[in-house]
């Protein structure tokens, strides 16, 4: 049977090398500008580094995908088109994108460049997948975190496009690419500027013995002394609704698919994606290694597959909030 | 400038919806009425043939009906419903609003509106959408006026109509999880149809007591009402063809009249806003930031 691909994030060249050296089949990265959805200070690649990164990955037998998953600015889309050109010129193994105008440009200009439909397109059904396949010849779709494993299995029966799913890391719980929560409070959008909950809008404030976290001035959560404070994002905030104070949407926890690995692989998934281009080289290396081990252990003996305690311990330590969830892959989460 | 009534985003049930559309068709000075479930396929709104029959009545009242469709499509049943309703709409020459690319795919070549959940962020995307049958685009709510103007001015002769979400609770995002059910410790699979008890959604406040968001099943909205009544000059300069008013459960006929009077210069914006604030009696006031490239929840009182 074909082995599932392990795809790791790279926020810079050292992380890319850590991913490749720890067994990633492929890596993905973006450029140092608004053209990708992890447009953070001090992160991402220059064109020179991109060329080096692709070369390093190829030399070690891994693939390198370039991320171009924001919407081009209406007044000046040149940086986005330039990224398409560069991806083709540098020999990237795939371009990950979501915007219709870029898909059209990439398909017309570079018919041989494999196109992966970004999670930022939030495509969760075969009618939409068929549309993108028909018009742009996409070969893969990265699924938003809205489908259960059963949904994914049914979807895989209805399409010849490869399915890529998130296996580990930060958990977006919305229709990505169509979520306006960040811009609602900060004016900065993952869909346009490539940033969700920008650091410059974050405040940690001590207030009467409590620690308050704010985003764009809005109180997101407050913590007693000794409690671990999470980075303030709206979807993991603690608010009041229906006369209760609680995490109205989701707790600050990370996605970790390991417990359902056999079901996810059996559902017809081609690629397991690790989230976290904004994380450190050590995170990338560590998480890649564990997912690699787990995947290899599964294929060695699928029927005997058991999640090792040691793997979970390492992954939990790498998690935001130090807790994990299967998220929407399990129906009861919804 | 035309006025449209956006799709009802809340769970008013078949009976509530029927009464609402009878009233609006007869009494509201709108040019276009969108109808159809956008948020959740579990809700007991209209079946496909009922939607078509209400749409025909709207047409008879001299207004353009448009059938709106789901913002998040996942299941086989949802895709089946899309195919069914789009086929019937085509037969009756009724336009369909797509809010997920599935509906663009199913309705390709027909008469389509790209709704506010389709990512139309630039002119080239407008041109592509025109090629697959889209006649009108409702811009994503986070897009500022400056970008809309660039897009409208830069279209390559596609001549698509442009529509602006101008009034109502902002539809900010969808999730697979039902937050209304979660507020009652229920799962979506056994939601007990709690949305039906919240005709304008469920308010979310911050822990310091400020109105913030609004839960509407799998949809998250703004708590303050988005209101661009004070921005009519800029709306006109931007080149928008249609302004969309999103239905709330109270006083919609009066709200539409205020907008019509302000648009036609029979009432000034200041008076309009005062009257609207009285009508809605709203605790959280209004917001309008997105239009000015600011956080959506901001309210700019005297926009330049």
């Amino acid at each position: 049977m074909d082995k599932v691909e392990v795809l790791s994030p790279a926020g810079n060249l050292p992380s890319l090398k850590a991913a490749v050296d720890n067994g990633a089949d492929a890596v993905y990265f973006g450029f140092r500008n608004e053209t990708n959805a992890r447009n953070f200070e001090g992160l991402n690649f220059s064109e020179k580094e991109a060329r080096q990164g692709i070369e390093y990955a190829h030399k070690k037998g891994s693939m390198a995908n370039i991320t171009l998953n924001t919407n081009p600015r209406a007044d000046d889309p040149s940086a986005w088109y330039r990224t398409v050109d560069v991806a083709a010129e540098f020999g990237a193994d795939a371009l990950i994108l979501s915007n219709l105008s870029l898909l059209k440009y990439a398909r017309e200009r570079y018919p041989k460049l494999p196109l992966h439909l970004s999670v930022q397109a939030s495509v969760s059904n075969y009618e939409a997948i068929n549309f993108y396949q028909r018009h742009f010849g996409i070969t893969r779709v990265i699924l938003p975190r809205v489908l259960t494993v059963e949904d994914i299995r049914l979807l895989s029966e209805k399409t010849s496009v490869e399915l890529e799913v998130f296996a580990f890391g930060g958990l977006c719980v919305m229709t990505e690419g169509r979520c306006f929560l960040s811009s609602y409070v900060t004016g900065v959008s993952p869909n346009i500027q490539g940033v969700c909950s920008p650091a410059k809008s974050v405040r940690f404030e001590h207030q009467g013995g409590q620690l308050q976290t704010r985003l764009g001035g809005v109180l997101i959560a407050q913590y007693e002394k000794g409690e671990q404070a999470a980075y303030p994002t709206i979807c993991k905030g603690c608010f009041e609704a229906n006369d209760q104070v609680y995490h109205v949407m989701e707790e600050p926890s990370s996605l970790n698919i390991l417990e359902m690995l056999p079901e996810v692989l059996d559902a017809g998934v081609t690629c397991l994606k690790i989230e976290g281009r904004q994380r450190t080289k050590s995170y990338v290396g560590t998480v890649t290694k564990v997912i690699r081990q787990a995947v290899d252990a599964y294929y060695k003996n699928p029927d005997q597959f058991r999640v090792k305690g040691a793997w979970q311990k390492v992954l939990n330590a790498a998690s935001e909030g130090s807790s994990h969830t299967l998220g929407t892959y399990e129906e009861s989460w919804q | 400038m035309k006025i449209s009534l956006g799709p009802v985003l809340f769970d008013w049930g078949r009976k509530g919806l029927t009464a609402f559309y009878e009233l609006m068709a007869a009494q509201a000075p709108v040019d276009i009425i969108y109808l159809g479930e956008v948020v959740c396929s579990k809700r007991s709104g209209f079946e496909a043939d009922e939607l078509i029959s209400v749409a025909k009545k709207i047409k008879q009242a001299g207004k353009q009906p448009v059938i709106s469709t789901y913002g998040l499509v996942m299941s086989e049943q949802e895709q089946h419903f899309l195919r069914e309703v789009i086929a019937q709409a085509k037969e009756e020459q009724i336009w369909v609003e797509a809010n997920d690319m599935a509906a663009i795919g199913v309705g390709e070549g027909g008469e389509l509106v790209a709704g506010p959940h389709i990512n139309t962020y630039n002119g080239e995307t407008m041109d592509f959408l025109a090629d697959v049958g889209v006649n009108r685009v409702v811009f994503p709510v986070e897009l500022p006026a400056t970008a809309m103007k660039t897009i409208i001015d830069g279209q390559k002769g596609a001549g698509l109509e442009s529509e602006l979400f101008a009034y109502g609770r902002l539809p900010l995002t969808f999730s697979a999880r039902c937050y209304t059910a979660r507020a009652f410790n229920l799962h979506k699979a056994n939601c007990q149809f709690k949305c039906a008890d919240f005709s304008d959604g469920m308010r979310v406040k911050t822990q310091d007591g400020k109105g913030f968001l609004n839960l509407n099943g799998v949809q998250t909205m703004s708590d303050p009402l988005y209101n661009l009544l004070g921005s009519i000059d800029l709306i006109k300069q931007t080149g928008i063809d249609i302004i969309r008013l999103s239905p709330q459960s109270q006083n919609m006929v009066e709200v539409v009249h205020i907008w019509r009077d302000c648009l036609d210069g029979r009432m000034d914006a200041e008076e309009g806003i005062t009257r609207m604030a009285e009508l809605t009696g709203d605790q959280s006031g209004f917001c309008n930031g997105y239009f000015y490239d600011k956080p959506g929840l901001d309210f700019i009182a005297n926009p330049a």
Side-chain angles (χ1 to χ4, degrees), chain A residues 101-318:
Chain A
S101 59
L102 294 176
L103 283 156
K104 184 169 191 269
Y105 176 82
R107 179 44 61 239
E108 286 175 359
R109 195 63 71 93
Y110 306 105
K112 286 183 186 150
L113 178 64
L115 303 181
H116 292 182
L117 190 63
S118 168
V119 68
Q120 288 286 108
S122 68
V123 162
S124 50
N125 59 75
Y126 62 84
E127 289 288 3
I129 293 174
N130 290 346
F131 177 82
Y132 284 98
Q133 189 180 28
R134 189 156 78 231
H135 285 276
F136 311 115
I138 58 159
T139 53
R140 182 182 295 183
V141 56
I142 296 107
L143 297 175
R145 282 152 274 192
V146 297
L147 300 173
T148 65
V149 172
E150 179 60 13
D151 292 333
I152 294 168
R153 195 181 61 75
L154 293 171
L155 191 55
S156 76
E157 287 167 7
K158 292 277 195 179
T159 175
S160 57
V161 173
E162 295 173 351
L163 305 180
E164 178 174 310
V165 302
F166 282 90
F168 186 82
L171 174 65
C172 279
V173 293
M174 303 298 180
T175 47
E176 281 168 80
R178 303 191 295 151
C179 175
F180 309 136
L181 290 177
S182 175
S183 61
Y184 178 59
V185 301
T186 71
V188 174
S189 167
N191 317 318
I192 304 173
Q193 290 88 3
V195 186
C196 176
S197 314
K200 68 172 164 56
S201 302
V202 168
R203 297 276 176 279
F204 288 82
E205 292 172 354
H206 290 279
Q207 195 72 251
Q210 284 185 318
L211 176 64
Q212 298 189 334
T213 58
R214 290 182 182 267
L215 184 66
V218 174
L219 179 58
I220 302 296
Q222 40 193 9
Y223 301 89
E224 300 299 332
K225 246 193 185 124
E227 270 187 290
Q228 197 191 349
Y231 187 89
T233 56
I234 297 167
C235 60
K236 315 284 176 6
C238 192
F239 307 111
E240 183 191 327
N242 205 24
D243 298 324
Q244 313 155 74
V245 173
Y246 65 111
H247 292 101
V248 167
M249 299 171 210
E250 172 63 316
E251 275 93 44
S253 61
S254 287
L255 177 72
N256 178 350
I257 213 171
L258 274 199
E259 282 169 35
M260 288 186 93
L261 187 67
E263 291 90 335
V264 170
L265 298 184
D266 188 55
V269 163
T270 298
C271 178
L272 298 177
K273 183 172 212 152
I274 299 167
E275 186 276 345
R277 287 192 283 128
Q278 73 286 10
R279 305 292 300 270
T280 61
K281 169 183 100 173
S282 129
Y283 163 94
V284 171
T286 306
V287 175
T288 300
K289 192 173 185 177
V290 171
I291 301 291
R292 172 85 275 153
Q293 285 172 351
V295 166
D296 289 348
Y298 172 81
Y299 285 102
K300 207 168 169 192
N301 198 343
D303 297 334
Q304 298 297 313
F305 178 78
R306 294 284 176 276
V307 179
K308 285 188 184 163
W311 296 339
Q312 292 294 50
K313 209 171 147 191
V314 172
L315 292 182
N316 279 344

